[in-house]
Amino acid sequence: MPNLTLTYPLLAALSAVLLPFAGFLLSIALGKKARHGTVAIVAISLSLLAAGYAFAQVWGHDPIHVRWHWFTIGQHAFHVGLLLDNAAVLMLLLVCLIALPVHAYSFAYMKGDPGIHRYWAYLSLFCFAMLGLVVADNLLLMYIFWELVGFASYLLIGFWYTRDAAAHANKKAFIINRVGDIGFLVGIAMVYSSVGTLDVQALFGPQGVFAAPAGADIPAANGKGTLTAGWLTVAGFAFFLGAMAKSAQFPFHVWLPDAMEGPTSVSSLIHAATMVAAGVFLLARVFPLFNEAMLLVIATTGTITAFVAAYFALTQYDIKKILAFSTISQLGFMMTGIGIGMYHIALFHLVTHAFFKCLLFLAAGAIIHEMQHMKEKHGLAIDPQDIRYMGGLRKRMPITFATMLIASLALVGFPLTAGYLSKDALLVHAFEWAALQRGPVSAIPYVLAIVSILTSFYIFRLLAKVFFARPAAILANKGVSAHEAPRQMLVPMVFLAFCSLFPLFTFNPLNDGQVWLLQGIAAELPTLPPLRLLHLLVPILATITTIIVAVVVWRWYIRGHYPLNTTGALYRLSERQGYVNELYGAAIVRPLLKLSALLWWTDRHVVDGIINGIAAAGRALAGITTWIDRHIVDGAVRLVGKLAWGAGNVLRRSQTGRVQQYLALVFFIILLILLYLIFAQA
């Protein structure tokens, strides 16, 4: 058993996890007095300091593991503990590093909201859940925090619960994630029943149970039983099912665009380093579990998701939904990275994506905030999130424009950005992996290259319509002028813009081989045969195509030379998001509603009818019994009583106390007797 002594890094990590939870409890206790957010901001700030210390002490060193006995069922003992390795402390620091700017941004963005005290409490709970997930040392504890992340996201997505759209969105997210969570739970059960332990290090560490050669049966840690190669694939798919729902992989992606009904600051946190990142982190954590067949499934699913989401983003007009589909597409990239065996690069892209995607949402929130202000001030009939009602904001909101431009360039993988290092690394390694494959899967890197082009198109389209195009007619006619976002919102955006550039990860902006992050988490991974030409050719071609796409977007959306037919089938397919929601509605939702209506009718008219009939018969029988009891039984009793009362009353009247009456009565009786005797003898 690992040493139970809490060292300073362990204390720091534990503090980083528990401080947001303390902030949650204190915010709940204070109620509306916590509306200023001081408690939540102080908690996440201290958590960031603790996470930074834990990172500095653990990164590049041997993992630190501590655990305590939790409970025992029969002969099975379960433990709770912390596992601090490079991946854990990296995610611990990342979550805090993203959450703090979001908290600071929320101070201005959510100002004046009547439910702001609930917002701060939910945000602290969300951070606690994700931080607990990344340092959990066993699968059961991970699952508990996994569910808590889902619950906290349910609260935040439906924060404005009086809106029907928000209420539907959080239920949709919750239900779809429960479907995936069943897979995660089944995977945990399969691993424990077959192998006999849930300890992450004992299962997936360098000397863990799953370090066996590919295709071999996995022996149990307790020496009893094995997990055969076939069941290993099933167990791997069960874990992947959980990650598919949490990280919005096709076809479970439909909840994420609807999750935009929550506050934009919440969207930035969900899409950056918390909920959707949990699925990718889980697969990286249990990576040794996956055999070659499952890795192909993961890579294929990720590629399909990346393409489909990018295709859907091309024609959307809601600024947040464009970014939501962008997140889904980038998560597909990460999944593909795991599927090709390069989970360290997938984690690297997760980190870079966290910064620039959080920045994209915060910039979008600044724009929406200003559009909402103009709508209320001038009584405009506009949707503040529709990019068709924007335009010309580049000069009015220059800092927002500059930061969003940096984030967009990082998204497309333009040189000098962090996205260039991680995204091009994924593309290059995908081509190297495909060179060893046969069949349709060898087309995966080419599909990812197409996705990169689509990514450039939809994000440049967004920039063009929001910042460069002419202002919408309704705004121009009203003489409306936008203003820059408040300083409390701009400072976090500027910080994230810096983190979206290359200096945070390497001093060489054009070589991912010198990224310190990759060197820290890739030591035990097999390397692919390097194709040197690809390391030069892919980035150059990607940059050239990005510039070409920018020119095309400029010509189409700014110069007005738009050549496409917006009524075509492909356009409608993209605009309606592939009709996936309609398909779910027709194949699942409406049949379930009809089944529910049938069951309700059966319950109301059959089950309740039988029960009500039995009750009516019982009441009728009770009525008959009551009548018999009242009129026959009680009547007979009352009749006997009345007869006794009458007889007693008659006899009572004969007792007068007068001797004359008694003598007359005796005389009358004797007379009757004599008359009887006379008539009897006659």
Side-chain angles (χ1 to χ4, degrees):
M1 179 180 293
N3 187 3
L4 298 181
T5 304
L6 280 175
T7 60
Y8 287 119
L10 284 168
L11 282 172
L14 190 60
S15 300
V17 174
L18 294 180
L19 279 166
F21 184 64
F24 163 72
L25 294 178
L26 189 55
S27 296
I28 291 294
L30 291 175
K32 292 187 177 181
K33 294 180 180 179
R35 63 184 179 274
H36 298 297
T38 305
V39 172
I41 293 176
V42 169
I44 197 63
S45 300
L46 295 176
S47 184
L48 174 60
L49 293 176
Y53 176 81
F55 178 85
Q57 295 298 311
V58 174
W59 183 262
H61 297 85
D62 292 334
I64 302 176
H65 184 199
V66 63
R67 64 177 182 171
W68 302 267
H69 179 262
W70 193 5
F71 60 91
T72 300
I73 300 177
Q75 301 298 319
H76 302 273
F78 294 87
H79 298 81
V80 58
L82 302 175
L83 173 60
L84 302 183
D85 57 6
N86 285 353
V89 295
L90 174 65
M91 290 298 298
L92 193 73
L93 180 62
L94 177 66
V95 173
C96 295
L97 204 56
I98 294 296
L100 180 57
V102 171
H103 278 68
Y105 178 95
S106 300
F107 186 80
Y109 185 80
M110 296 296 293
K111 186 178 181 179
D113 192 286
I116 184 64
H117 58 288
R118 291 186 295 108
Y119 174 84
W120 293 118
Y122 296 165
L123 211 58
S124 294
L125 179 64
F126 195 30
C127 293
F128 162 69
M130 188 64 194
L131 291 169
L133 172 67
V134 300
V135 298
D137 77 321
N138 68 79
L139 293 176
L140 180 59
L141 190 60
M142 285 186 71
Y143 183 77
I144 293 172
F145 281 110
W146 179 277
E147 291 294 332
L148 191 57
V149 167
F151 174 67
S153 68
Y154 169 83
L155 296 176
L156 287 169
I157 294 169
F159 176 73
W160 289 312
Y161 58 88
T162 55
R163 302 179 184 177
D164 289 339
H168 289 307
N170 70 346
K171 286 186 289 186
K172 187 175 184 179
F174 193 79
I175 291 171
I176 291 178
N177 275 276
R178 295 295 74 72
V179 174
D181 293 350
I182 292 173
F184 189 5
L185 187 60
V186 169
I188 292 174
M190 291 183 65
V191 168
Y192 186 75
S193 62
S194 301
V195 180
T197 182
L198 294 175
D199 189 280
V200 170
Q201 198 171 39
L203 289 169
F204 311 113
Q207 307 300 322
V209 174
F210 289 95
D217 291 349
I218 303 299
N222 56 12
K224 301 178 181 179
T226 59
L227 188 62
T228 63
W231 284 112
L232 184 64
T233 302
V234 176
F237 182 78
F239 280 97
F240 180 51
L241 187 64
M244 283 179 68
K246 192 72 77 179
S247 292
Q249 296 297 285
F250 183 87
F252 296 141
H253 68 282
V254 292
W255 69 267
L256 194 55
D258 289 359
M260 299 301 97
E261 294 298 333
T264 305
S265 48
V266 169
S267 302
S268 67
L269 195 57
I270 290 177
H271 287 247
T274 51
M275 183 169 179
V276 296
V280 178
F281 177 77
L282 172 67
L283 297 191
R285 197 50 128 182
V286 303
F287 181 80
L289 173 70
F290 302 120
N291 56 23
E292 186 175 347
M294 263 315 302
L295 289 176
L296 286 176
V297 171
I298 295 172
T300 303
T301 303
T303 303
I304 293 173
T305 302
F307 176 79
V308 168
Y311 174 60
F312 293 163
L314 296 176
T315 56
Q316 303 302 311
Y317 290 104
D318 186 311
I319 188 171
K320 289 176 67 176
K321 284 195 174 181
I322 295 173
L323 298 180
F325 281 115
S326 173
T327 298
I328 298 170
S329 182
Q330 295 304 304
L331 289 168
F333 261 90
M334 299 173 205
M335 289 294 183
T336 304
I338 292 173
I340 65 175
M342 298 289 107
Y343 79 81
H344 62 300
I345 299 180
L347 285 179
F348 177 37
H349 193 52
L350 186 154
V351 173
T352 62
H353 176 265
F355 290 116
F356 63 72
K357 185 53 60 68
C358 184
L359 175 55
L360 283 170
F361 271 104
L362 295 188
I367 295 167
I368 295 169
H369 185 270
E370 184 58 26
M371 295 295 293
Q372 182 67 33
H373 175 72
M374 292 190 295
K375 175 183 178 180
E376 295 174 354
K377 182 178 180 180
H378 299 280
L380 302 176
I382 62 172
D383 180 356
Q385 295 183 191
D386 195 324
I387 60 176
R388 289 172 292 189
Y389 293 109
M390 302 175 190
L393 296 180
R394 176 171 54 91
K395 296 181 180 179
R396 300 295 183 181
M397 306 179 71
I399 300 177
T400 300
F401 164 68
T403 55
M404 196 167 192
L405 177 62
I406 292 173
S408 300
L409 292 175
L411 174 64
V412 302
F414 203 74
L416 305 184
T417 65
Y420 170 85
L421 296 168
S422 61
K423 192 173 182 180
D424 282 3
L426 268 177
L427 273 175
V428 169
H429 285 83
F431 276 105
E432 292 178 340
W433 172 83
L436 303 176
Q437 307 300 316
R438 296 291 182 269
V441 294
S442 60
I444 283 178
Y446 299 96
V447 176
L448 294 181
I450 295 173
V451 172
S452 296
I453 297 173
L454 298 180
T455 302
S456 299
F457 184 88
Y458 68 66
I459 199 63
F460 287 153
R461 169 180 174 265
L462 186 153
L463 292 175
K465 295 185 79 67
V466 172
F467 294 106
F468 290 95
R470 293 180 180 178
I474 188 172
L475 301 182
N477 293 337
K478 292 280 186 176
V480 177
S481 178
H483 300 87
E484 186 59 272
R487 181 179 299 177
Q488 295 94 329
M489 295 166 66
L490 292 178
V491 171
M493 291 162 58
V494 172
F495 167 75
L496 291 170
F498 169 76
C499 294
S500 300
L501 298 174
F502 74 91
L504 189 65
F505 302 98
T506 180
F507 292 112
N508 188 341
L510 303 178
N511 186 0
D512 62 88
Q514 299 181 17
V515 173
W516 60 266
L517 189 152
L518 290 178
Q519 296 172 358
I521 56 179
E524 299 166 2
L525 283 173
T527 57
L528 295 169
L531 301 177
R532 301 297 181 188
L533 183 60
L534 286 177
H535 287 261
L536 179 64
L537 194 59
V538 169
I540 291 176
L541 291 178
T543 303
I544 292 174
T545 54
T546 298
I547 295 172
I548 294 173
V549 169
V551 173
V552 171
V553 169
W554 180 274
R555 180 175 176 81
W556 286 11
Y557 293 101
I558 299 177
R559 300 296 297 274
H561 301 297
Y562 188 76
L564 299 181
N565 179 12
T566 58
T567 61
L570 291 177
Y571 187 95
R572 292 198 308 273
L573 185 66
S574 171
E575 187 178 33
R576 298 300 298 272
Q577 304 172 25
Y579 298 95
V580 177
N581 283 295
E582 288 81 356
L583 178 62
Y584 281 151
I588 299 176
V589 178
R590 283 195 288 275
L592 284 177
L593 290 176
K594 290 181 179 179
L595 177 61
S596 299
L598 175 62
L599 293 175
W600 177 85
W601 184 91
T602 303
D603 180 68
R604 182 73 180 271
H605 296 89
V606 179
V607 179
D608 287 355
I610 294 173
I611 294 174
N612 292 337
I614 294 173
R619 287 195 299 271
L621 179 61
I624 295 172
T625 305
T626 301
W627 186 90
I628 293 173
D629 180 69
R630 180 175 295 173
H631 295 88
I632 297 178
V633 179
D634 289 354
V637 172
R638 285 194 296 271
L639 178 61
V640 172
K642 288 181 179 180
L643 290 174
W645 178 83
N649 193 44
V650 171
L651 294 174
R652 180 179 60 80
R653 292 179 182 276
S654 67
Q655 302 296 319
T656 62
R658 296 177 182 180
V659 176
Q660 297 90 334
Q661 287 183 351
Y662 295 157
L663 292 174
L665 179 62
V666 171
F667 176 78
F668 181 72
I669 292 172
I670 294 172
L671 180 62
L672 288 176
I673 294 172
L674 290 175
L675 289 174
Y676 172 76
L677 293 174
I678 293 171
F679 283 107
Q681 293 178 358

